[in-house]
Amino acid sequence: MTVSNSTSENLLEVRNLKKYFPIKGGLMRRTVAQVKALDGVSFSIKKGETLGLVGESGCGKTTTGRTVLRLIPPSGGEVLFEGQDVLKASSSRMRTLRRDMQIVFQDPYASLNPRIPVGQSIAEGLTIHNIGTPKERLDQVAQVLDRVGLNSGHMRRFPHEFSGGQRQRIGIARALVMQPKLIVCDEPVSALDVSIQAQVLNLLNDLQKDLGLTYLFIAHNLSVVEHISNRVGVMYLGRMVELASRDQLFRKPMHPYTKALMSAIPLPDPTIKRDRIILEGDVPSPVNPPSGCRFHPRCWLAQDICKHDDPIFEEKEPGHFVACHFAQG
Amino acid sequence: MAQSDVLLKLKGVKTYFFTDEGTVHAVDGLDFQVRRGETLGIVGESGCGKSVTSMSILRLLGKTGKVIEGEIMFDGENLLDLSEEEMRKIRGNRISMIFQQPTTCLNPVFRIGEQIIEALQIHQGLSGEEANKRTIELLTLVGLPDPVRRMRSFPHEISGGQAQRVMIAMALACNPELLIADEPTTALDVTIQAQILDLMRELREKVNTAIILITHDLGVVAEMAENVMVMYAGKAVEYAPVHALFEAPKHPYTQGLIASTPVLGNVRDELETIPGQVPSLLNPPAGCRFASRCAHKMDQCTQEEPPLIKLEGDRLVRCWLY
Ligand SMILES: Nc1ncnc2c1ncn2[C@@H]1O[C@H](COP(=O)(O)OP(=O)(O)OP(=O)(O)O)[C@@H](O)[C@H]1O
Ligand SMILES: Nc1ncnc2c1ncn2[C@@H]1O[C@H](COP(=O)(O)OP(=O)(O)OP(=O)(O)O)[C@@H](O)[C@H]1O
Ligand code: SF4
Ligand code: SF4
Ligand SMILES: [Mg+2]
Ligand SMILES: [Mg+2]
């Protein structure tokens, strides 16, 4: 279990991934600055595994997912899928990759075209890739609808006729119909009520068990991520600051930011009184990230060295990676 | 409990919206009360009527909505009987509100300092200089970094967490007797949420403000509330002190809600789920509104609506099982 050592069980390997968005300004619309949305992120996901990605708003979770899928081009780094570089893939290889890697979005409302029946939305990928006859496509759509707990009768209905949880199931069906190997789930349950959220999480778990799917599961809710992930990465301001197995990370977090994040979560049990780490200040801007360790302006452990030396993301314990000069369990 | 202890008391409140599609029974017979200094949490699924309840209290329902029945007694006075003019004096003065989207409540064209100063001048009759001084105090109190400079910022120039703090400063400018906080931290990151909750707790202690805290986050409720009201499809289905509620939820919906919430540090293979979905409030079903999703449903449940049944320990539950 390493971040960068290539092993054949890794379905996905991401090395030093960077994405800078230009900020244009002035009369000439020249690039006046850059948003360093991703600034050197590395991780890998084994086949059949779920890697959870957490972190606060704007830390780069969605950008990670989209760059991995090549929905947006990276500014640097490598993405290996089954050992081959996605970013250098030929167009024919890219066609297969587009089937192998699917995405499920946060907002089930926005991700479905309101004017076309959901059956057609689900079949869209098959149609684009010219897979099967119309009849075969219809069968496949019926099959995946059944798989996600809806039925073929739902095919002709429009998105507005479904509840939020059902729409999210449709989003999952749309990914599943392509028979992908990897699904990037970007906040798939964040817009749902808890009782509905539980239905969708259980569905994702069942599908993984039955079909051997691999997930990159993005969420800002740590309880949800703990529930669904085998390993978890914590991001802060365009960087991965900690990466470990679920149990390592939740039982023995080592990065001060991870510790603060965990202590900040209100637990649904009024008998528990915890010592909370209250961070000072707000999340800084990725346009001008702080020098040295990016977390230093908010870190209660910060020393002088943290202001000018960027800590290396390294394996402090087997399988447990941390970027902090003073990491401790 | 002395009578004067009760600050707010709702009796049989029904709020309906009259729309083209029909009448939305958004709040359909609600009774509850809040004592001075108490924090009441209101939880429930999206669309169950939490926000409409708060808008009914503040009488901010817009053109299509109306409280068609019931009383909303605030400090002995029925708010529904007040003129719009009298109501304006209460809003933002004796009753304040924090909304989910802070930026929608701050006026985008005025500097944030000006907005608080104006509120203080109107409601508290402070002079310009006094209001200015008090504004700096308030912004310092809510932990806004560099308050004197920040006062000159426009709402779009500050972050979401900062805007929420400005809203809280505004809500507290007049030492309100009642603060209605509708999902005050939902849009914020957890580390910022922790700061804001800390702040609300501190202020509650300093000013003895009663708080109605609306949220769908059971964790926030467990941490902040003394008593909790659980709503389902326009009705209160359970009411209990917070410890009792989490220790032994009584209503099948509350039980399902708690069991379906993933809890940090307590991983289960399978989360409990509540099958189905919330019924439409256009034509709410007869009998118990939870019946279509309830594992304990009996014949009686779909025929007759269960009343709120009193249980031991200041608890109420709307279910035929009790
Ligand atoms: N197209 C874009 N142009 C410019 N900046 C962008 C663009 N997309 C994202 N960003 C910026 O990149 C950073 C990372 O954004 P990203 O959407 O990846 O964050 P996130 O972790 O998914 O946050 P959230 O939890 O709010 O979804 C943010 O500062 C964001 O404003
Ligand atoms: N202006 C309106 N016109 C018609 N129906 C409305 C209006 N405002 C609210 N409703 C309806 O009233 C019901 C209760 O809405 P309310 O906003 O109180 O829900 P809520 O419990 O606050 O939900 P959420 O958790 O999503 O904020 C919903 O069915 C909603 O669709
Ligand atoms: S490197 Fe320093 S500032 Fe950064 S997290 Fe570690 S202790 Fe804190
Ligand atoms: S009244 Fe009947 S249907 Fe309703 S919650 Fe109780 S047992 Fe379930
Ligand atoms: Mg995102
Ligand atoms: Mg609401």
Side-chain angles (χ1 to χ4, degrees), chain B residues 108-269:
Chain B
V109 301
F110 291 105
R111 297 174 198 279
I112 58 180
E114 290 165 7
Q115 302 192 37
I116 304 176
I117 290 170
E118 192 192 296
L120 285 166
Q121 287 178 314
I122 294 172
H123 291 304
Q124 306 260 288
L126 298 188
S127 72
E129 194 165 327
E130 286 165 336
N132 193 54
K133 210 173 128 228
R134 179 90 181 112
T135 301
I136 297 173
E137 278 171 23
L138 283 165
L139 291 176
T140 312
L141 187 71
V142 297
L144 200 72
D146 199 0
V148 179
R149 197 169 59 86
R150 280 285 173 227
M151 274 173 73
R152 304 188 44 76
S153 304
F154 288 96
H156 72 266
E157 294 172 332
I158 57 180
S159 74
Q162 291 174 343
Q164 198 60 297
R165 273 176 261 183
V166 171
M167 277 271 299
I168 295 181
M170 262 175 91
L172 293 159
C174 311
N175 296 339
E177 290 153 75
L178 176 65
L179 173 67
I180 302 178
D182 191 352
E183 308 271 7
T185 55
T186 305
L188 305 175
D189 284 325
V190 281
T191 60
I192 309 293
Q193 165 173 291
Q195 295 173 4
I196 301 283
L197 293 182
D198 225 36
L199 183 69
M200 281 175 63
R201 248 185 305 242
E202 211 178 293
L203 295 164
R204 179 172 65 193
E205 268 141 45
K206 280 189 191 144
V207 196
N208 197 36
T209 301
I211 302 176
I212 296 179
L213 177 63
I214 296 173
T215 172
H216 61 259
D217 186 332
L218 289 177
V220 172
V221 168
E223 205 166 276
M224 299 290 293
E226 285 164 69
N227 295 299
V228 185
M229 177 166 77
V230 183
M231 289 184 72
Y232 189 81
K235 303 233 176 207
V237 294
E238 181 157 8
Y239 180 95
V242 70
H243 283 269
L245 187 89
F246 282 92
E247 199 180 295
K250 299 290 185 191
H251 195 280
Y253 170 66
T254 319
Q255 291 168 352
L257 191 65
I258 292 177
S260 56
T261 307
V263 181
L264 200 70
N266 176 18
V267 178
R268 292 161 281 175
D269 265 358

Side-chain angles (χ1 to χ4, degrees), chain A residues 48-52 208 225 228-232 244-247:
Chain A
E49 171 183 73
T50 299
L51 177 74
Q208 180 166 53
V225 165
I228 196 129
S229 310
N230 304 106
R231 284 189 307 135
V232 179
S245 75
R246 169 176 72 192
D247 290 349

